[in-house]
């Protein structure tokens, strides 16, 4: 059910702001609670910035999903950057190669219901997250 | 194509002899192209000054707009583009004001019956001189517009980050909207400067207006708090709404020993209690 998906190319800080706005609008549309909206927007902000900063840019796609039982939002973040060599390490709280807090990736995983990451060194990284309405 | 010294001198003489007719024909054309948005009298003053500028540049045998003899003219053209840009005229409208001089000159040549080969050759050379002048005007118009836009962006930045003195010894900065790196920098600088100016020992950073606190926003806040501490001031973060609090916890951000309060009023109450303790 991804026919209503919207895609944003991510090549600058402005695009990260656009991703946040797009996710906020989509989250409101499927009636996510205020807390869940905020969590999803924050996770999207983290992952989109990683796409920009570490992936060297890429795209983000936001789409409503419907399992039949409940509705939600699915977001895909894709880049063709260097990939992540040690995923466990990258997902460790406080681990950063860019002088950040090292909480973006691990924190984003805690902020969503489903978190899937496909990465290969030299090929890029694709992260898919889903947040369901309660 | 540039003017040679003879052509320049002959044209300077022509601009002098026919000055009244030229200024009036030029003013009419500019007035029409700007569709009455500037008064005829105002435009007449401008064209008559510009005519003098062109005439003097040519009399000083300027061969192109970038020559030293055309310095005064360049200054006039820059001034023209700056005022047009501020008044909201387009780049084309501004350049057309200069191009129109050629039509005025041609009309004057026509009506005085001067159409010998020398005059025409002079005119072609002169015409390319005016073209360069118009392009120069266009360029400086664009530069002025860019500066205006940059100024406005900066003003917006400053407007959206007011640092206010809330109480004796307490300054507050309410953050509103997206805290990108540029704004975070401005916030930090202004907060630190206000701490210096007011000698305040307390600063409250209110994030009620921030829609999402991610690791980047958190890092900017943490850096600001550390910098304020180095200057001997204590920071309190206020306006942490329930949804933001839950997100910060799930994300794993720790504000350490920084005092955090739900509202600005709570933060102020906290500061006053602190100073009360110290006063005793
Ligand atoms: N899309 C990506 N491509 C390549 N490497 C990545 C990507 N996303 C994250 N990483 C790597 O994983 C590390 C951890 O990412 P995470 O978002 O948790 O921390 P950070 O971005 O360094 O800091 P923070 O997000 O807290 O500001 C990054 O420093 C980077 O080395
Ligand atoms: Mg990150």
């Amino acid at each position: 059910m991804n026919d209503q998906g919207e895609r944003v190319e991510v090549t600058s800080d402005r695009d990260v702001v656009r991703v946040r706005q797009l996710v906020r609008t989509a989250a409101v549309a499927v009636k996510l609670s205020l807390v869940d909206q905020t969590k999803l927007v924050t996770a999207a902000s983290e992952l989109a910035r990683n796409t920009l900063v570490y992936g060297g840019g890429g795209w983000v796609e936001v789409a409503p999903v419907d399992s039949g039982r409940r509705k939600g939002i699915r977001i895909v973040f894709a880049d063709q950057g260097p990939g992540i060599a040690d995923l466990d390490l990258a997902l460790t709280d406080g681990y950063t190669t860019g002088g950040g807090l090292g909480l973006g990736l691990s924190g984003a995983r805690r902020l969503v219901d489903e978190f899937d990451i496909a990465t290969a060194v030299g090929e890029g990284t694709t992260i898919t997250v889903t947040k369901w309405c309660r | 194509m540039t003017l040679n010294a003879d052509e320049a001198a002959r044209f300077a003489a022509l601009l002098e002899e026919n000055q009244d007719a030229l200024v009036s024909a030029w003013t009419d054309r500019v007035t029409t192209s700007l569709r009455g948005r500037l008064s005829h009298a105002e435009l007449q003053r401008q064209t008559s000054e510009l005519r003098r500028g062109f005439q003097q540049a040519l009399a000083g045998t300027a061969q192109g707009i970038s020559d030293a003899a055309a310095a005064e003219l360049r200054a006039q053209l820059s001034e023209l583009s700056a005022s047009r840009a501020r008044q909201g005229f387009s780049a084309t409208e501004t350049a057309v004001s200069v191009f129109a001089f050629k039509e005025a000159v041609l009309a004057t040549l026509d009506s005085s019956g001067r159409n010998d080969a020398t005059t025409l050759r002079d005119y072609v050379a002169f015409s390319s001189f005016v073209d360069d002048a118009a392009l120069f005007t266009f360029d400086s118009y664009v530069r002025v517009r860019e500066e205006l836009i940059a100024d406005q962006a900066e003003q917006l930045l400053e407007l959206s980050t007011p640092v206010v003195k809330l109480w004796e010894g307490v300054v507050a900065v309410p953050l509103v909207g997206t805290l990108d790196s540029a704004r975070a920098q401005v916030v930090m600088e202004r907060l630190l400067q206000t701490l210096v100016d007011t000698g305040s020992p307390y600063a409250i950073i209110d994030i009620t207006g921030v829609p999402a606190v991610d690791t980047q926003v958190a890092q900017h806040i943490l850096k600001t708090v550390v910098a304020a501490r180095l200057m001997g001031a204590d920071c309190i973060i206020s306006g942490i709404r329930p949804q933001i609090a839950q997100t910060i916890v799930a994300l794993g951000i720790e504000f350490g020993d920084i005092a955090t309060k739900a509202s600005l009023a709570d933060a102020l109450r906290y500061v006053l209690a602190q100073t009360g303790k110290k006063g005793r």
Side-chain angles (χ1 to χ4, degrees), chain A residues 46 49-50 54 104-105, chain B residues 215:
Chain A
E46 295 299 338
R49 190 169 307 106
N50 283 352
Y54 303 109
L105 204 56
Chain B
T215 59

Side-chain angles (χ1 to χ4, degrees), chain A residues 46-47 49-56 78-79 81-86 89-107 117 119 124-127, chain B residues 214-216 219:
Chain A
E46 295 299 338
L47 298 174
R49 190 169 307 106
N50 283 352
T51 298
L52 175 69
V53 174
Y54 303 109
D79 67 64
I84 301 173
D86 189 337
L89 191 58
L91 278 164
T92 306
D93 277 359
Y95 175 79
T96 174
T97 58
L101 294 175
L103 291 172
L105 204 56
S106 50
I117 181 161
T119 183
T125 303
T126 300
I127 298 177
Chain B
D214 61 7
T215 59
Q216 194 184 42
Q219 215 182 3

Side-chain angles (χ1 to χ4, degrees), chain B residues 94-176:
Chain B
T94 305
V96 162
S97 296
V98 179
F99 282 127
F101 191 29
K102 295 202 298 187
E103 292 170 30
V105 169
L106 203 55
T108 308
L109 288 178
D110 264 352
S111 64
S112 60
R114 292 174 60 166
N115 48 15
D116 53 293
T118 316
T119 306
L120 285 180
R121 212 172 317 127
D122 286 358
Y123 175 76
V124 171
F126 169 77
S127 162
S128 84
F129 183 89
V130 177
D131 288 347
D132 287 347
L135 287 180
F136 174 87
T137 310
F138 193 91
D139 280 348
S140 64
Y141 172 95
V142 170
R143 217 170 317 117
V144 172
R145 281 299 286 188
E146 275 166 4
E147 282 165 17
L148 280 178
I149 291 166
D151 278 358
Q152 284 165 355
E154 200 152 307
Q155 283 167 6
L156 268 182
L157 269 182
E158 305 219 328
L159 270 181
S160 51
T161 56
V163 179
V164 293
K165 191 173 153 189
L166 205 61
W167 201 267
E168 192 55 46
V170 189
V171 299
V173 52
L175 300 180
V176 179

Side-chain angles (χ1 to χ4, degrees), chain B residues 65-104:
Chain B
I65 190 69
S66 46
D67 283 7
E72 182 71 18
L73 176 60
R74 286 198 301 276
Q76 286 181 319
L77 294 172
S78 301
E79 206 178 297
L80 175 80
S81 27
S83 79
R84 290 277 208 280
R86 271 190 215 100
Q87 288 160 337
F89 289 98
S90 73
T92 307
E93 284 169 329
T94 305
V96 162
S97 296
V98 179
F99 282 127
F101 191 29
K102 295 202 298 187
E103 292 170 30

Side-chain angles (χ1 to χ4, degrees), chain B residues 180-200:
Chain B
D180 58 18
S181 295
R183 271 197 58 204
Q185 189 65 29
V186 175
V187 170
M188 170 132 79
E189 277 167 17
R190 296 195 32 147
L191 180 62
L192 298 181
Q193 188 57 48
T194 312
L195 285 176
V196 173
D197 294 346
T198 60
S200 301

